[in-house]
Amino acid sequence: MTYLFDTHTHLDSHKFDEDRTEVIERAREAGVDLLLNIGFNRETIPTTIALAEAYDFIYAAVGWHPVDSIDMTPDDLEWIERLCDHPKVVAIGEIGLDYHWDTSPKDVQHRVFREQIRLARKVKKPIVIHNRDAHEDIITILREENAAEVGGVMHCYSGSWETAKACLDMNFYISFGGPVTFQNARVPKEVLKQVPMDRLLIETDAPYLTPHPFRGKRNESAYVSLVAQSAAELLGKSVEEIAKITTENGKKCFGIV
């Protein structure tokens, strides 16, 4: 049996309202042993906590997404800090920068990102990084805020090897999702082959970024097995080996015993 860890999923999304229980059952049947659900704003943090409380194999990350930075108040930051005492909360995230969707000014995104890195260092939790078209600024802020102290995950990595190496040097794991299964995804495939085996993670980001051959449909956590399959092919290893390595890496990153 392969034991997989989907290190980034959004099973509390409204896209699962009709069949969430079945989606979770399908993940279990596909060999998914652990799930990290991500709460990233005022709406999804409570639903993420509820999921983690309902299932012993689901853990939670809580943070403020860069797209929603404009909405975050000091009270919200205090709320996230309080939630870090919850036994199922294992990371702060997803946090970072997003220069694709123009919903929050860059200076606000930078401030909110820095505040959450400082909080992570205070509560000693790893961080889950969202990076869209902001590679240089992400690296600069991570360095300036001493993020290496807590490390974390570069979620659904799509950047260059140079950027990945800078993140590895700061104690980060590199996580790959559905795009690494796409035929034309040359860069992620090349980067995946260079990431040290003890820093490799896999994820779905369900319901988004569905892997081949289901691209264009709703993603779900069971499909992390397809990401594992692609990684296995690229690295010349068995799916079982990739499952074991990435699950152990994920448990180590998030302090799950």
Side-chain angles (χ1 to χ4, degrees):
M1 183 67 175
T2 53
Y3 290 106
L4 296 154
F5 187 171
D6 182 359
T7 59
H8 195 112
T9 189
H10 300 276
L11 295 179
D12 57 324
S13 163
H14 292 305
K15 291 177 189 284
F16 296 115
D17 282 353
E18 301 298 314
D19 62 346
R20 187 171 290 105
T21 304
E22 290 80 4
V23 166
I24 293 169
E25 281 170 8
R26 281 197 292 274
R28 297 292 273 170
E29 285 162 13
V32 180
D33 199 43
L34 290 167
L35 294 154
L36 182 63
N37 206 80
I38 312 290
F40 57 88
N41 58 18
R42 213 167 282 128
E43 180 190 357
T44 60
I45 288 172
T47 50
T48 289
I49 295 289
L51 258 185
E53 288 176 344
Y55 294 91
D56 61 355
F57 53 90
I58 298 180
Y59 288 81
V62 295
W64 218 263
H65 198 288
V67 165
D68 298 309
S69 297
I70 194 82
D71 299 322
M72 195 182 92
T73 67
D75 284 349
D76 292 318
L77 192 65
E78 285 177 22
W79 178 39
I80 292 167
E81 182 173 355
R82 286 196 305 276
L83 286 172
C84 286
D85 286 335
H86 192 291
K88 296 299 286 292
V89 171
V90 296
I92 289 180
E94 60 190 278
I95 66 175
L97 302 175
D98 191 312
Y99 294 170
H100 178 76
W101 300 110
D102 190 23
T103 55
S104 293
K106 285 184 182 177
D107 61 327
V108 175
Q109 289 193 42
H110 288 201
R111 175 180 55 76
V112 166
F113 186 25
R114 288 179 187 276
E115 286 172 350
Q116 291 184 94
I117 297 170
R118 289 169 197 165
L119 173 59
R121 289 174 56 215
K122 180 181 176 184
V123 299
K124 297 179 170 53
K125 299 271 185 199
I127 51 181
V128 178
I129 302 293
H130 173 100
N131 170 16
R132 187 127 188 226
D133 303 337
H135 306 307
E136 209 172 297
D137 287 351
I138 287 269
I139 297 298
T140 299
I141 291 172
L142 288 175
R143 281 183 179 143
E144 289 177 357
E145 296 297 337
N146 298 317
E149 203 177 288
V150 289
V153 186
M154 305 309 292
H155 136 67
C156 206
Y157 191 77
S158 62
S160 67
W161 169 243
E162 288 69 33
T163 303
K165 191 168 181 322
C167 297
L168 289 164
D169 289 344
M170 286 187 280
N171 201 20
F172 279 82
Y173 291 75
I174 311 293
S175 183
F176 295 87
V180 84
T181 70
F182 303 163
Q183 206 168 349
N184 60 353
R186 187 181 56 80
V187 174
K189 289 178 196 284
E190 288 304 316
V191 173
L192 186 147
K193 287 193 273 190
Q194 296 178 80
V195 171
M197 291 302 293
D198 62 350
R199 295 293 192 84
L200 180 66
L201 296 176
I202 55 176
E203 62 171 87
T204 59
D205 199 20
Y208 317 105
L209 299 174
T210 314
H212 177 80
F214 301 107
R215 194 174 179 180
K217 298 180 177 160
R218 182 190 70 175
N219 199 3
E220 54 180 81
S221 282
Y223 297 162
V224 76
S225 60
L226 299 169
V227 181
Q229 198 176 314
S230 280
E233 287 165 9
L234 288 165
L235 296 169
K237 296 191 178 292
S238 69
V239 174
E240 288 74 21
E241 281 179 285
I242 293 298
K244 185 175 189 299
I245 289 164
T246 54
T247 295
E248 287 308 313
N249 289 348
K251 287 164 79 172
K252 187 176 177 189
C253 175
F254 299 117
I256 296 171
V257 183

